[in-house]
Amino acid sequence: SRVTGPDFTRATDRLVRATVGRGVKVDSVEVVKTVEVVTEPKTLLPHSVRSQEVKTVVVTGDGKSQTSKEVDETSSVYSYRR
């Protein structure tokens, strides 16, 4: 899934200005989340789950633009006894 757009950027900008101060402006925000699940075809029991969330924020402060990127990844592997 992907979250971005002017409404999300405005909301994030308001939050940042309220917490950091008016000297910082959020120019754009994007959050992309990808989830991959591998299952047993007949039973749908999961074998593995991998999740990745990438947050990219572009801010301007003191006349300088800066891009920050945060990546969160998790993975799980399952095994079953028969």
Side-chain angles (χ1 to χ4, degrees), residues 2-17 21-31 56-68:
R2 182 173 180 245
V3 179
T4 190
D7 292 337
F8 187 51
T9 298
R10 274 193 299 279
T12 305
D13 184 54
R14 275 181 264 177
L15 176 66
V16 168
R17 286 175 180 241
R22 296 218 173 261
V24 176
K25 180 183 183 309
V26 176
D27 298 317
S28 68
V29 180
E30 178 181 66
V31 179
T56 306
V57 181
V58 179
V59 297
T60 301
D62 297 327
K64 297 178 183 177
S65 181
Q66 182 176 353
T67 301
S68 68

PDB file of all heavy atoms in Angstrom, residues 2-17 21-31 56-68:
ATOM      1  N   ARG A   2       0.334   2.322  -0.488  1.00  0.00           N
ATOM      2  CA  ARG A   2       1.097   3.568  -0.593  1.00  0.00           C
ATOM      3  C   ARG A   2       0.235   4.720  -0.103  1.00  0.00           C
ATOM      4  O   ARG A   2      -0.916   4.857  -0.524  1.00  0.00           O
ATOM      5  CB  ARG A   2       1.478   3.784  -2.058  1.00  0.00           C
ATOM      6  CG  ARG A   2       2.296   5.002  -2.303  1.00  0.00           C
ATOM      7  CD  ARG A   2       2.754   5.019  -3.778  1.00  0.00           C
ATOM      8  NE  ARG A   2       3.539   6.178  -4.038  1.00  0.00           N
ATOM      9  CZ  ARG A   2       3.182   7.145  -4.867  1.00  0.00           C
ATOM     10  NH1 ARG A   2       2.054   7.070  -5.529  1.00  0.00           N
ATOM     11  NH2 ARG A   2       3.958   8.175  -5.047  1.00  0.00           N
ATOM     12  N   VAL A   3       0.794   5.541   0.793  1.00  0.00           N
ATOM     13  CA  VAL A   3       0.110   6.728   1.286  1.00  0.00           C
ATOM     14  C   VAL A   3       0.955   7.933   0.910  1.00  0.00           C
ATOM     15  O   VAL A   3       2.139   8.007   1.254  1.00  0.00           O
ATOM     16  CB  VAL A   3      -0.079   6.679   2.822  1.00  0.00           C
ATOM     17  CG1 VAL A   3      -0.777   7.939   3.310  1.00  0.00           C
ATOM     18  CG2 VAL A   3      -0.846   5.442   3.229  1.00  0.00           C
ATOM     19  N   THR A   4       0.365   8.853   0.183  1.00  0.00           N
ATOM     20  CA  THR A   4       1.042  10.078  -0.231  1.00  0.00           C
ATOM     21  C   THR A   4      -0.023  11.059  -0.711  1.00  0.00           C
ATOM     22  O   THR A   4      -1.200  10.729  -0.732  1.00  0.00           O
ATOM     23  CB  THR A   4       2.093   9.800  -1.332  1.00  0.00           C
ATOM     24  OG1 THR A   4       2.877  10.974  -1.536  1.00  0.00           O
ATOM     25  CG2 THR A   4       1.476   9.361  -2.631  1.00  0.00           C
ATOM     26  N   GLY A   5       0.383  12.238  -1.059  1.00  0.00           N
ATOM     27  CA  GLY A   5      -0.551  13.209  -1.603  1.00  0.00           C
ATOM     28  C   GLY A   5      -0.584  14.493  -0.800  1.00  0.00           C
ATOM     29  O   GLY A   5      -0.032  14.577   0.313  1.00  0.00           O
ATOM     30  N   PRO A   6      -1.225  15.508  -1.356  1.00  0.00           N
ATOM     31  CA  PRO A   6      -1.219  16.826  -0.715  1.00  0.00           C
ATOM     32  C   PRO A   6      -1.884  16.858   0.664  1.00  0.00           C
ATOM     33  O   PRO A   6      -1.412  17.562   1.552  1.00  0.00           O
ATOM     34  CB  PRO A   6      -1.952  17.731  -1.708  1.00  0.00           C
ATOM     35  CG  PRO A   6      -2.511  16.859  -2.761  1.00  0.00           C
ATOM     36  CD  PRO A   6      -1.887  15.519  -2.657  1.00  0.00           C
ATOM     37  N   ASP A   7      -2.981  16.112   0.844  1.00  0.00           N
ATOM     38  CA  ASP A   7      -3.650  16.117   2.156  1.00  0.00           C
ATOM     39  C   ASP A   7      -2.757  15.504   3.233  1.00  0.00           C
ATOM     40  O   ASP A   7      -2.657  16.026   4.345  1.00  0.00           O
ATOM     41  CB  ASP A   7      -4.977  15.355   2.097  1.00  0.00           C
ATOM     42  CG  ASP A   7      -6.018  16.062   1.252  1.00  0.00           C
ATOM     43  OD1 ASP A   7      -5.895  17.296   1.077  1.00  0.00           O
ATOM     44  OD2 ASP A   7      -6.937  15.391   0.765  1.00  0.00           O
ATOM     45  N   PHE A   8      -2.097  14.405   2.903  1.00  0.00           N
ATOM     46  CA  PHE A   8      -1.181  13.746   3.857  1.00  0.00           C
ATOM     47  C   PHE A   8       0.013  14.644   4.162  1.00  0.00           C
ATOM     48  O   PHE A   8       0.436  14.772   5.311  1.00  0.00           O
ATOM     49  CB  PHE A   8      -0.734  12.405   3.282  1.00  0.00           C
ATOM     50  CG  PHE A   8       0.073  11.555   4.224  1.00  0.00           C
ATOM     51  CD1 PHE A   8      -0.370  11.274   5.505  1.00  0.00           C
ATOM     52  CD2 PHE A   8       1.279  11.013   3.819  1.00  0.00           C
ATOM     53  CE1 PHE A   8       0.363  10.482   6.371  1.00  0.00           C
ATOM     54  CE2 PHE A   8       2.023  10.211   4.680  1.00  0.00           C
ATOM     55  CZ  PHE A   8       1.570   9.957   5.952  1.00  0.00           C
ATOM     56  N   THR A   9       0.535  15.310   3.142  1.00  0.00           N
ATOM     57  CA  THR A   9       1.665  16.224   3.335  1.00  0.00           C
ATOM     58  C   THR A   9       1.262  17.398   4.226  1.00  0.00           C
ATOM     59  O   THR A   9       1.992  17.770   5.147  1.00  0.00           O
ATOM     60  CB  THR A   9       2.188  16.736   1.982  1.00  0.00           C
ATOM     61  OG1 THR A   9       2.661  15.617   1.221  1.00  0.00           O
ATOM     62  CG2 THR A   9       3.332  17.727   2.158  1.00  0.00           C
ATOM     63  N   ARG A  10       0.084  17.977   3.989  1.00  0.00           N
ATOM     64  CA  ARG A  10      -0.386  19.107   4.825  1.00  0.00           C
ATOM     65  C   ARG A  10      -0.555  18.677   6.280  1.00  0.00           C
ATOM     66  O   ARG A  10      -0.165  19.399   7.200  1.00  0.00           O
ATOM     67  CB  ARG A  10      -1.698  19.670   4.276  1.00  0.00           C
ATOM     68  CG  ARG A  10      -1.516  20.712   3.202  1.00  0.00           C
ATOM     69  CD  ARG A  10      -2.806  21.458   2.909  1.00  0.00           C
ATOM     70  NE  ARG A  10      -3.885  20.604   2.420  1.00  0.00           N
ATOM     71  CZ  ARG A  10      -4.008  20.198   1.159  1.00  0.00           C
ATOM     72  NH1 ARG A  10      -3.125  20.562   0.258  1.00  0.00           N
ATOM     73  NH2 ARG A  10      -5.019  19.435   0.802  1.00  0.00           N
ATOM     74  N   ALA A  11      -1.148  17.511   6.492  1.00  0.00           N
ATOM     75  CA  ALA A  11      -1.351  17.034   7.866  1.00  0.00           C
ATOM     76  C   ALA A  11      -0.021  16.803   8.568  1.00  0.00           C
ATOM     77  O   ALA A  11       0.158  17.172   9.736  1.00  0.00           O
ATOM     78  CB  ALA A  11      -2.174  15.750   7.848  1.00  0.00           C
ATOM     79  N   THR A  12       0.930  16.214   7.855  1.00  0.00           N
ATOM     80  CA  THR A  12       2.259  15.976   8.434  1.00  0.00           C
ATOM     81  C   THR A  12       2.965  17.293   8.704  1.00  0.00           C
ATOM     82  O   THR A  12       3.619  17.464   9.741  1.00  0.00           O
ATOM     83  CB  THR A  12       3.107  15.090   7.503  1.00  0.00           C
ATOM     84  OG1 THR A  12       2.385  13.886   7.233  1.00  0.00           O
ATOM     85  CG2 THR A  12       4.448  14.755   8.124  1.00  0.00           C
ATOM     86  N   ASP A  13       2.823  18.260   7.799  1.00  0.00           N
ATOM     87  CA  ASP A  13       3.437  19.578   7.972  1.00  0.00           C
ATOM     88  C   ASP A  13       2.895  20.259   9.225  1.00  0.00           C
ATOM     89  O   ASP A  13       3.664  20.815  10.020  1.00  0.00           O
ATOM     90  CB  ASP A  13       3.169  20.443   6.736  1.00  0.00           C
ATOM     91  CG  ASP A  13       3.862  21.789   6.819  1.00  0.00           C
ATOM     92  OD1 ASP A  13       5.094  21.815   7.023  1.00  0.00           O
ATOM     93  OD2 ASP A  13       3.174  22.822   6.688  1.00  0.00           O
ATOM     94  N   ARG A  14       1.590  20.180   9.448  1.00  0.00           N
ATOM     95  CA  ARG A  14       1.001  20.788  10.653  1.00  0.00           C
ATOM     96  C   ARG A  14       1.548  20.145  11.923  1.00  0.00           C
ATOM     97  O   ARG A  14       1.847  20.834  12.894  1.00  0.00           O
ATOM     98  CB  ARG A  14      -0.515  20.680  10.617  1.00  0.00           C
ATOM     99  CG  ARG A  14      -1.141  21.815   9.835  1.00  0.00           C
ATOM    100  CD  ARG A  14      -2.618  21.686   9.843  1.00  0.00           C
ATOM    101  NE  ARG A  14      -2.856  20.995   8.582  1.00  0.00           N
ATOM    102  CZ  ARG A  14      -4.009  20.589   8.111  1.00  0.00           C
ATOM    103  NH1 ARG A  14      -5.073  20.738   8.792  1.00  0.00           N
ATOM    104  NH2 ARG A  14      -4.113  20.011   6.956  1.00  0.00           N
ATOM    105  N   LEU A  15       1.673  18.821  11.907  1.00  0.00           N
ATOM    106  CA  LEU A  15       2.206  18.107  13.073  1.00  0.00           C
ATOM    107  C   LEU A  15       3.662  18.508  13.332  1.00  0.00           C
ATOM    108  O   LEU A  15       4.044  18.794  14.466  1.00  0.00           O
ATOM    109  CB  LEU A  15       2.104  16.595  12.864  1.00  0.00           C
ATOM    110  CG  LEU A  15       2.714  15.740  13.963  1.00  0.00           C
ATOM    111  CD1 LEU A  15       1.944  15.901  15.270  1.00  0.00           C
ATOM    112  CD2 LEU A  15       2.752  14.288  13.545  1.00  0.00           C
ATOM    113  N   VAL A  16       4.466  18.551  12.277  1.00  0.00           N
ATOM    114  CA  VAL A  16       5.882  18.907  12.434  1.00  0.00           C
ATOM    115  C   VAL A  16       6.035  20.342  12.926  1.00  0.00           C
ATOM    116  O   VAL A  16       6.820  20.621  13.839  1.00  0.00           O
ATOM    117  CB  VAL A  16       6.650  18.694  11.109  1.00  0.00           C
ATOM    118  CG1 VAL A  16       8.039  19.317  11.165  1.00  0.00           C
ATOM    119  CG2 VAL A  16       6.755  17.197  10.804  1.00  0.00           C
ATOM    120  N   ARG A  17       5.270  21.259  12.361  1.00  0.00           N
ATOM    121  CA  ARG A  17       5.363  22.667  12.792  1.00  0.00           C
ATOM    122  C   ARG A  17       4.923  22.838  14.245  1.00  0.00           C
ATOM    123  O   ARG A  17       5.464  23.674  14.956  1.00  0.00           O
ATOM    124  CB  ARG A  17       4.544  23.555  11.875  1.00  0.00           C
ATOM    125  CG  ARG A  17       5.189  23.752  10.530  1.00  0.00           C
ATOM    126  CD  ARG A  17       4.284  24.537   9.596  1.00  0.00           C
ATOM    127  NE  ARG A  17       4.920  24.713   8.314  1.00  0.00           N
ATOM    128  CZ  ARG A  17       5.214  25.900   7.798  1.00  0.00           C
ATOM    129  NH1 ARG A  17       4.929  27.000   8.444  1.00  0.00           N
ATOM    130  NH2 ARG A  17       5.801  25.972   6.623  1.00  0.00           N
ATOM    131  N   GLY A  21       8.544  23.407  15.243  1.00  0.00           N
ATOM    132  CA  GLY A  21       8.544  24.863  15.120  1.00  0.00           C
ATOM    133  C   GLY A  21       8.234  25.297  13.703  1.00  0.00           C
ATOM    134  O   GLY A  21       8.252  24.507  12.768  1.00  0.00           O
ATOM    135  N   ARG A  22       7.959  26.561  13.555  1.00  0.00           N
ATOM    136  CA  ARG A  22       7.542  27.088  12.257  1.00  0.00           C
ATOM    137  C   ARG A  22       8.682  27.213  11.255  1.00  0.00           C
ATOM    138  O   ARG A  22       8.454  27.466  10.082  1.00  0.00           O
ATOM    139  CB  ARG A  22       6.877  28.442  12.448  1.00  0.00           C
ATOM    140  CG  ARG A  22       5.599  28.337  13.252  1.00  0.00           C
ATOM    141  CD  ARG A  22       4.571  29.276  12.694  1.00  0.00           C
ATOM    142  NE  ARG A  22       3.285  29.087  13.325  1.00  0.00           N
ATOM    143  CZ  ARG A  22       2.308  28.380  12.780  1.00  0.00           C
ATOM    144  NH1 ARG A  22       2.498  27.789  11.642  1.00  0.00           N
ATOM    145  NH2 ARG A  22       1.157  28.261  13.386  1.00  0.00           N
ATOM    146  N   GLY A  23       9.906  27.029  11.667  1.00  0.00           N
ATOM    147  CA  GLY A  23      11.045  27.175  10.761  1.00  0.00           C
ATOM    148  C   GLY A  23      11.239  25.996   9.824  1.00  0.00           C
ATOM    149  O   GLY A  23      12.090  26.029   8.947  1.00  0.00           O
ATOM    150  N   VAL A  24      10.420  24.954   9.978  1.00  0.00           N
ATOM    151  CA  VAL A  24      10.550  23.756   9.151  1.00  0.00           C
ATOM    152  C   VAL A  24       9.258  23.554   8.374  1.00  0.00           C
ATOM    153  O   VAL A  24       8.163  23.677   8.922  1.00  0.00           O
ATOM    154  CB  VAL A  24      10.829  22.509  10.022  1.00  0.00           C
ATOM    155  CG1 VAL A  24      10.866  21.260   9.184  1.00  0.00           C
ATOM    156  CG2 VAL A  24      12.130  22.675  10.782  1.00  0.00           C
ATOM    157  N   LYS A  25       9.378  23.262   7.081  1.00  0.00           N
ATOM    158  CA  LYS A  25       8.208  23.000   6.241  1.00  0.00           C
ATOM    159  C   LYS A  25       8.357  21.623   5.602  1.00  0.00           C
ATOM    160  O   LYS A  25       9.397  21.297   5.050  1.00  0.00           O
ATOM    161  CB  LYS A  25       8.078  24.053   5.149  1.00  0.00           C
ATOM    162  CG  LYS A  25       6.878  23.849   4.244  1.00  0.00           C
ATOM    163  CD  LYS A  25       6.844  24.883   3.138  1.00  0.00           C
ATOM    164  CE  LYS A  25       5.621  24.758   2.268  1.00  0.00           C
ATOM    165  NZ  LYS A  25       5.341  23.449   1.740  1.00  0.00           N
ATOM    166  N   VAL A  26       7.302  20.814   5.694  1.00  0.00           N
ATOM    167  CA  VAL A  26       7.297  19.502   5.053  1.00  0.00           C
ATOM    168  C   VAL A  26       6.844  19.691   3.612  1.00  0.00           C
ATOM    169  O   VAL A  26       5.744  20.177   3.348  1.00  0.00           O
ATOM    170  CB  VAL A  26       6.365  18.521   5.794  1.00  0.00           C
ATOM    171  CG1 VAL A  26       6.296  17.198   5.060  1.00  0.00           C
ATOM    172  CG2 VAL A  26       6.834  18.312   7.223  1.00  0.00           C
ATOM    173  N   ASP A  27       7.717  19.323   2.667  1.00  0.00           N
ATOM    174  CA  ASP A  27       7.409  19.475   1.244  1.00  0.00           C
ATOM    175  C   ASP A  27       6.688  18.259   0.669  1.00  0.00           C
ATOM    176  O   ASP A  27       5.824  18.400  -0.190  1.00  0.00           O
ATOM    177  CB  ASP A  27       8.692  19.731   0.452  1.00  0.00           C
ATOM    178  CG  ASP A  27       9.378  21.012   0.884  1.00  0.00           C
ATOM    179  OD1 ASP A  27       8.686  22.026   1.074  1.00  0.00           O
ATOM    180  OD2 ASP A  27      10.616  20.992   1.052  1.00  0.00           O
ATOM    181  N   SER A  28       7.069  17.067   1.123  1.00  0.00           N
ATOM    182  CA  SER A  28       6.382  15.855   0.661  1.00  0.00           C
ATOM    183  C   SER A  28       6.629  14.711   1.631  1.00  0.00           C
ATOM    184  O   SER A  28       7.634  14.678   2.339  1.00  0.00           O
ATOM    185  CB  SER A  28       6.848  15.451  -0.740  1.00  0.00           C
ATOM    186  OG  SER A  28       8.188  15.017  -0.724  1.00  0.00           O
ATOM    187  N   VAL A  29       5.655  13.803   1.653  1.00  0.00           N
ATOM    188  CA  VAL A  29       5.722  12.628   2.517  1.00  0.00           C
ATOM    189  C   VAL A  29       5.188  11.440   1.714  1.00  0.00           C
ATOM    190  O   VAL A  29       4.189  11.576   1.002  1.00  0.00           O
ATOM    191  CB  VAL A  29       4.861  12.784   3.784  1.00  0.00           C
ATOM    192  CG1 VAL A  29       4.948  11.548   4.659  1.00  0.00           C
ATOM    193  CG2 VAL A  29       5.244  14.004   4.567  1.00  0.00           C
ATOM    194  N   GLU A  30       5.857  10.308   1.865  1.00  0.00           N
ATOM    195  CA  GLU A  30       5.373   9.089   1.219  1.00  0.00           C
ATOM    196  C   GLU A  30       5.669   7.912   2.134  1.00  0.00           C
ATOM    197  O   GLU A  30       6.768   7.803   2.671  1.00  0.00           O
ATOM    198  CB  GLU A  30       6.054   8.872  -0.129  1.00  0.00           C
ATOM    199  CG  GLU A  30       5.614   7.597  -0.823  1.00  0.00           C
ATOM    200  CD  GLU A  30       6.318   7.380  -2.137  1.00  0.00           C
ATOM    201  OE1 GLU A  30       7.549   7.165  -2.114  1.00  0.00           O
ATOM    202  OE2 GLU A  30       5.653   7.436  -3.174  1.00  0.00           O
ATOM    203  N   VAL A  31       4.678   7.049   2.328  1.00  0.00           N
ATOM    204  CA  VAL A  31       4.847   5.824   3.100  1.00  0.00           C
ATOM    205  C   VAL A  31       4.410   4.670   2.200  1.00  0.00           C
ATOM    206  O   VAL A  31       3.283   4.669   1.692  1.00  0.00           O
ATOM    207  CB  VAL A  31       4.011   5.829   4.391  1.00  0.00           C
ATOM    208  CG1 VAL A  31       4.198   4.518   5.149  1.00  0.00           C
ATOM    209  CG2 VAL A  31       4.384   7.011   5.277  1.00  0.00           C
ATOM    210  N   THR A  56       9.501   8.206   3.365  1.00  0.00           N
ATOM    211  CA  THR A  56      10.356   9.224   2.772  1.00  0.00           C
ATOM    212  C   THR A  56       9.731  10.591   3.036  1.00  0.00           C
ATOM    213  O   THR A  56       8.563  10.810   2.725  1.00  0.00           O
ATOM    214  CB  THR A  56      10.506   9.001   1.253  1.00  0.00           C
ATOM    215  OG1 THR A  56      10.949   7.668   1.014  1.00  0.00           O
ATOM    216  CG2 THR A  56      11.515   9.975   0.660  1.00  0.00           C
ATOM    217  N   VAL A  57      10.524  11.494   3.626  1.00  0.00           N
ATOM    218  CA  VAL A  57      10.035  12.834   3.967  1.00  0.00           C
ATOM    219  C   VAL A  57      11.032  13.860   3.434  1.00  0.00           C
ATOM    220  O   VAL A  57      12.239  13.730   3.649  1.00  0.00           O
ATOM    221  CB  VAL A  57       9.890  13.003   5.499  1.00  0.00           C
ATOM    222  CG1 VAL A  57       9.371  14.390   5.835  1.00  0.00           C
ATOM    223  CG2 VAL A  57       8.998  11.931   6.083  1.00  0.00           C
ATOM    224  N   VAL A  58      10.510  14.862   2.738  1.00  0.00           N
ATOM    225  CA  VAL A  58      11.335  15.975   2.259  1.00  0.00           C
ATOM    226  C   VAL A  58      10.914  17.209   3.035  1.00  0.00           C
ATOM    227  O   VAL A  58       9.728  17.574   3.041  1.00  0.00           O
ATOM    228  CB  VAL A  58      11.164  16.200   0.741  1.00  0.00           C
ATOM    229  CG1 VAL A  58      12.024  17.372   0.285  1.00  0.00           C
ATOM    230  CG2 VAL A  58      11.508  14.942  -0.042  1.00  0.00           C
ATOM    231  N   VAL A  59      11.868  17.840   3.729  1.00  0.00           N
ATOM    232  CA  VAL A  59      11.591  19.041   4.513  1.00  0.00           C
ATOM    233  C   VAL A  59      12.517  20.167   4.084  1.00  0.00           C
ATOM    234  O   VAL A  59      13.604  19.926   3.565  1.00  0.00           O
ATOM    235  CB  VAL A  59      11.759  18.799   6.034  1.00  0.00           C
ATOM    236  CG1 VAL A  59      10.773  17.765   6.526  1.00  0.00           C
ATOM    237  CG2 VAL A  59      13.161  18.404   6.382  1.00  0.00           C
ATOM    238  N   THR A  60      12.056  21.393   4.317  1.00  0.00           N
ATOM    239  CA  THR A  60      12.869  22.576   4.064  1.00  0.00           C
ATOM    240  C   THR A  60      12.963  23.357   5.364  1.00  0.00           C
ATOM    241  O   THR A  60      11.955  23.579   6.039  1.00  0.00           O
ATOM    242  CB  THR A  60      12.242  23.461   2.974  1.00  0.00           C
ATOM    243  OG1 THR A  60      12.109  22.701   1.779  1.00  0.00           O
ATOM    244  CG2 THR A  60      13.116  24.682   2.694  1.00  0.00           C
ATOM    245  N   GLY A  61      14.184  23.742   5.726  1.00  0.00           N
ATOM    246  CA  GLY A  61      14.430  24.554   6.906  1.00  0.00           C
ATOM    247  C   GLY A  61      15.653  25.405   6.676  1.00  0.00           C
ATOM    248  O   GLY A  61      16.639  24.935   6.103  1.00  0.00           O
ATOM    249  N   ASP A  62      15.588  26.627   7.047  1.00  0.00           N
ATOM    250  CA  ASP A  62      16.700  27.563   6.845  1.00  0.00           C
ATOM    251  C   ASP A  62      17.122  27.624   5.381  1.00  0.00           C
ATOM    252  O   ASP A  62      18.302  27.727   5.055  1.00  0.00           O
ATOM    253  CB  ASP A  62      17.898  27.190   7.720  1.00  0.00           C
ATOM    254  CG  ASP A  62      17.594  27.275   9.200  1.00  0.00           C
ATOM    255  OD1 ASP A  62      16.788  28.148   9.583  1.00  0.00           O
ATOM    256  OD2 ASP A  62      18.147  26.466   9.969  1.00  0.00           O
ATOM    257  N   GLY A  63      16.155  27.509   4.477  1.00  0.00           N
ATOM    258  CA  GLY A  63      16.446  27.613   3.049  1.00  0.00           C
ATOM    259  C   GLY A  63      17.072  26.379   2.439  1.00  0.00           C
ATOM    260  O   GLY A  63      17.431  26.389   1.266  1.00  0.00           O
ATOM    261  N   LYS A  64      17.230  25.320   3.203  1.00  0.00           N
ATOM    262  CA  LYS A  64      17.853  24.091   2.688  1.00  0.00           C
ATOM    263  C   LYS A  64      16.846  22.956   2.691  1.00  0.00           C
ATOM    264  O   LYS A  64      16.101  22.780   3.645  1.00  0.00           O
ATOM    265  CB  LYS A  64      19.059  23.707   3.540  1.00  0.00           C
ATOM    266  CG  LYS A  64      20.173  24.723   3.529  1.00  0.00           C
ATOM    267  CD  LYS A  64      21.301  24.289   4.421  1.00  0.00           C
ATOM    268  CE  LYS A  64      22.386  25.359   4.462  1.00  0.00           C
ATOM    269  NZ  LYS A  64      23.466  24.997   5.377  1.00  0.00           N
ATOM    270  N   SER A  65      16.866  22.178   1.618  1.00  0.00           N
ATOM    271  CA  SER A  65      15.979  21.021   1.509  1.00  0.00           C
ATOM    272  C   SER A  65      16.732  19.765   1.946  1.00  0.00           C
ATOM    273  O   SER A  65      17.917  19.602   1.642  1.00  0.00           O
ATOM    274  CB  SER A  65      15.515  20.860   0.064  1.00  0.00           C
ATOM    275  OG  SER A  65      14.649  19.762  -0.053  1.00  0.00           O
ATOM    276  N   GLN A  66      16.039  18.908   2.673  1.00  0.00           N
ATOM    277  CA  GLN A  66      16.660  17.673   3.154  1.00  0.00           C
ATOM    278  C   GLN A  66      15.664  16.524   3.008  1.00  0.00           C
ATOM    279  O   GLN A  66      14.484  16.671   3.326  1.00  0.00           O
ATOM    280  CB  GLN A  66      17.071  17.814   4.611  1.00  0.00           C
ATOM    281  CG  GLN A  66      17.764  16.599   5.173  1.00  0.00           C
ATOM    282  CD  GLN A  66      18.233  16.825   6.605  1.00  0.00           C
ATOM    283  OE1 GLN A  66      18.147  17.922   7.139  1.00  0.00           O
ATOM    284  NE2 GLN A  66      18.713  15.766   7.226  1.00  0.00           N
ATOM    285  N   THR A  67      16.161  15.393   2.541  1.00  0.00           N
ATOM    286  CA  THR A  67      15.333  14.195   2.394  1.00  0.00           C
ATOM    287  C   THR A  67      15.762  13.159   3.417  1.00  0.00           C
ATOM    288  O   THR A  67      16.954  12.878   3.549  1.00  0.00           O
ATOM    289  CB  THR A  67      15.474  13.595   0.983  1.00  0.00           C
ATOM    290  OG1 THR A  67      15.082  14.578   0.021  1.00  0.00           O
ATOM    291  CG2 THR A  67      14.613  12.354   0.818  1.00  0.00           C
ATOM    292  N   SER A  68      14.791  12.617   4.128  1.00  0.00           N
ATOM    293  CA  SER A  68      15.105  11.532   5.062  1.00  0.00           C
ATOM    294  C   SER A  68      14.315  10.303   4.630  1.00  0.00           C
ATOM    295  O   SER A  68      13.193  10.407   4.129  1.00  0.00           O
ATOM    296  CB  SER A  68      14.780  11.909   6.505  1.00  0.00           C
ATOM    297  OG  SER A  68      13.396  12.018   6.681  1.00  0.00           O
TER     298      SER A  68
END
